Amino acid sequence: MSTALLAQPALPDFNIMKGPKQQTVLSWKNNFGERLKVLNIQRSTDSIRGFRTIYSVNNLTLEANAYTDNKPAPGADYYRLYYMLTNGSYYFTKAKKIATGFVPDNLLGQLNNSKMITVTGTNTRKLAFKQLQHLKDSVINNTSDTLYFVNDSTIQYVKYNAVAAMASSTTELRPVSKFLYINADGYIVLKFPERDLSDYSMTIYKQNGTSVLFKIPRFEDSELILSKSSFLRTGWYPYEIYKDGKLLERSRLEIN
């Protein structure tokens, strides 16, 4: 059993990523032990409806397990898990889809191939220039992460997860705008009405105000915290909030 499998989240969460040949790989940990009776992999073209079971897991006793969809259906890129316990209770996980890893055009061409290249991010490290092609290919083909150019000897590695969907750890929220708040820990909290939550979307731009840093096409939690790790550096970032495609708010948020 691989270390990667052992590191996967426990039900009702699961991990989803690209396989080496454009497969879709789902992995999870069974924290219910022998109480887990049924576990099915379901796929849909939509994050809410139209799910169909594509595989029923046979060995439910494994602590860590995975499934590879070797033939993903075009457009059907949302996945979820259905599972039932021995007491008859059953659950659906939240739907997830793979976001394609992104590397800007000519990233390697902008770097000095005679220098060691610093890759900043969660695990800052130095790589020889000849190793960067492998890193680039791995980001595009095996992850949903992003590489950004910083200077001729530095690139920024940004892990996928534009939003950390977790409830605020405190009720002490200082309003910044109609939808943005700051909590006691200095994190930006987004709050939207529960009744029409899925109608909202958000675009956050790089600090230059013209290039898109990332988009949140829809929200599944009415209150969540923006992950600072999704931003390149501290500072001000322009953003826009829409409802049903109509612009509601345009301003800047500060990451510090």
Side-chain angles (χ1 to χ4, degrees), residues 39-128:
L39 194 149
N40 294 337
I41 312 297
Q42 299 188 335
R43 186 175 65 193
S44 175
T45 58
D46 184 273
S47 63
I48 300 176
R49 58 184 68 85
F51 280 92
R52 297 290 183 271
T53 295
I54 60 173
Y55 183 75
S56 295
V57 177
N58 294 319
N59 192 345
L60 298 173
T61 61
L62 293 177
E63 178 186 359
N65 208 343
Y67 167 75
T68 299
D69 187 359
N70 289 307
K71 295 181 179 180
D77 46 10
Y78 285 93
Y79 292 80
R80 72 181 184 186
L81 305 184
Y82 161 85
Y83 61 97
M84 178 185 291
L85 303 182
T86 52
N87 65 2
S89 301
Y90 63 90
Y91 307 88
F92 296 95
T93 66
K94 288 186 177 181
K96 293 187 177 183
K97 85 181 269 194
I98 293 176
T100 303
F102 174 73
V103 177
D105 293 339
N106 197 34
L107 173 66
L108 301 188
Q110 300 179 76
L111 300 174
N112 188 331
N113 59 15
S114 65
K115 293 182 178 180
M116 292 290 290
I117 306 300
T118 300
V119 182
T120 64
T122 305
N123 299 306
T124 299
R125 59 201 186 277
K126 288 183 178 290
L127 296 177

Side-chain angles (χ1 to χ4, degrees), residues 142-182:
N142 301 322
T143 78
S144 301
D145 304 333
T146 301
L147 293 178
Y148 288 108
F149 173 82
V150 178
N151 57 48
D152 71 350
S153 61
T154 309
I155 58 177
Q156 173 86 13
Y157 191 118
V158 179
K159 296 288 293 181
Y160 179 71
N161 268 337
V163 174
M166 51 187 175
S168 175
S169 60
T170 174
T171 57
E172 299 176 12
L173 297 177
R174 174 170 60 86
V176 177
S177 74
K178 182 178 180 180
F179 302 105
L180 270 66
Y181 298 79
I182 302 292

Side-chain angles (χ1 to χ4, degrees), residues 201-244:
S201 62
M202 186 175 189
T203 300
I204 298 178
Y205 295 88
K206 296 181 184 179
Q207 290 174 312
N208 59 21
T210 57
S211 303
V212 174
L213 180 60
F214 57 80
K215 293 184 178 182
I216 306 172
R218 62 185 300 157
F219 292 90
E220 297 183 357
D221 294 274
S222 61
E223 181 175 325
L224 49 85
I225 298 174
L226 280 180
S227 171
K228 293 183 180 182
S229 64
S230 298
F231 296 83
L232 301 178
R233 56 183 66 87
T234 60
W236 291 91
Y237 290 82
Y239 71 88
E240 296 172 340
I241 293 176
Y242 297 84
K243 182 181 180 184
D244 287 328

